[in-house]
Amino acid sequence: MTLNELKNECIKCTKCPLCEGRNNVVFGDGNENADILLIGEAPGANEDLEGKPFIGRSGKLLDDMMHEAGLTREKNIFITNTVKCRPPENRDPKPTEAALCREWLDLQIEIIKPKIIVCVGRISAQKIIDKNFKVTQMHGEFIEKDGILYTATYHPAAILRNINNRPIAVADWVKIKEKAKSL
Ligand code: URA
């Protein structure tokens, strides 16, 4: 199955109640042959309207930080989220919603075959890497699972709340770029 064929299935998904309030399924964006797969939390209002991940204020900051590290979503990264539809009022995705949506994410991983998976923010890191993951303590560390390296960094929305973490996140992205190059 190609990523586009998967997308065509995913955009019809009605497996969980998040489908009821959505304008668009936010399947993902970027280079499907990338070595790096970025997993955020969930689409917000802008993403739901446009059908693309990370396009609001925090998305712009994410792009800026990745550019600073020498990475772009067009060339180096495919971007998606733990759930593909916007939770109402931007609440955290419920465990049942995330579990049902995980099937789409697992198929994306199978097709893209990333070398590195980058979880952006606590919700993603705790869902994908380890339920006790602490971004402040463990950001930038690489953990190997089934032949893929997993890491996490600060969510850009958290950086908008505390801009002091911006250089730390850029340094994580530089490490991620260097690691991907070395693999
Ligand atoms: N925040 C996320 O975690 N994902 C998006 O796509 C947008 C904002």
Side-chain angles (χ1 to χ4, degrees):
M1 186 187 271
T2 65
L3 200 63
N4 210 37
E5 285 165 349
L6 182 67
K7 179 177 179 177
N8 288 334
E9 291 303 310
C10 183
I11 59 176
K12 293 183 270 185
C13 182
T14 54
K15 284 195 284 194
C16 89
L18 293 183
C19 69
E20 288 159 21
R22 75 178 175 224
N23 288 298
N24 282 294
V25 170
V26 182
F27 179 75
D29 181 38
N31 182 345
E32 64 177 271
N33 299 310
D35 289 339
I36 302 168
L37 176 67
L38 182 159
I39 305 176
E41 177 185 338
N46 294 304
E47 290 77 18
D48 171 64
L49 284 175
E50 298 284 328
K52 277 191 173 187
F54 282 104
I55 52 159
R57 238 179 112 219
S58 65
K60 167 86 173 64
L61 174 58
L62 178 68
D63 281 340
D64 288 349
M65 292 190 298
M66 292 191 310
H67 283 171
E68 232 172 282
L71 295 164
T72 67
R73 61 170 95 185
E74 293 77 22
K75 252 211 214 73
N76 313 100
I77 296 183
F78 191 84
I79 302 181
T80 190
N81 284 300
T82 62
V83 296
K84 312 302 190 222
C85 298
R86 181 190 182 206
E89 323 284 318
N90 296 340
R91 65 158 168 74
D92 292 350
K94 292 183 180 167
T96 48
E97 294 158 355
L100 287 165
C101 214
R102 180 69 192 243
E103 296 169 26
W104 296 117
L105 183 61
D106 285 341
L107 288 167
Q108 287 178 310
I109 294 170
E110 226 176 280
I111 293 169
I112 296 168
K113 297 188 176 50
K115 291 180 181 167
I116 301 179
I117 290 181
V118 182
C119 296
V120 159
R122 174 183 60 86
I123 301 273
S124 170
Q126 293 188 345
K127 281 253 146 48
I128 308 292
I129 306 177
D130 181 333
K131 66 178 176 9
N132 297 315
F133 199 96
K134 297 243 181 330
V135 174
T136 46
Q137 291 165 23
M138 298 161 78
H139 69 92
E141 284 178 21
F142 292 95
I143 297 155
E144 205 243 286
K145 283 201 274 184
D146 303 325
I148 300 176
L149 286 179
Y150 289 77
T151 189
T153 188
Y154 288 90
H155 195 288
I159 299 175
L160 286 172
R161 291 191 294 271
N162 180 4
I163 204 71
N164 293 333
N165 287 329
R166 191 184 193 281
I168 303 171
V170 172
D172 286 342
W173 281 109
V174 171
K175 260 174 93 175
I176 291 161
K177 184 186 77 174
E178 296 300 325
K179 180 64 93 177
K181 230 196 308 178
S182 76
L183 296 171

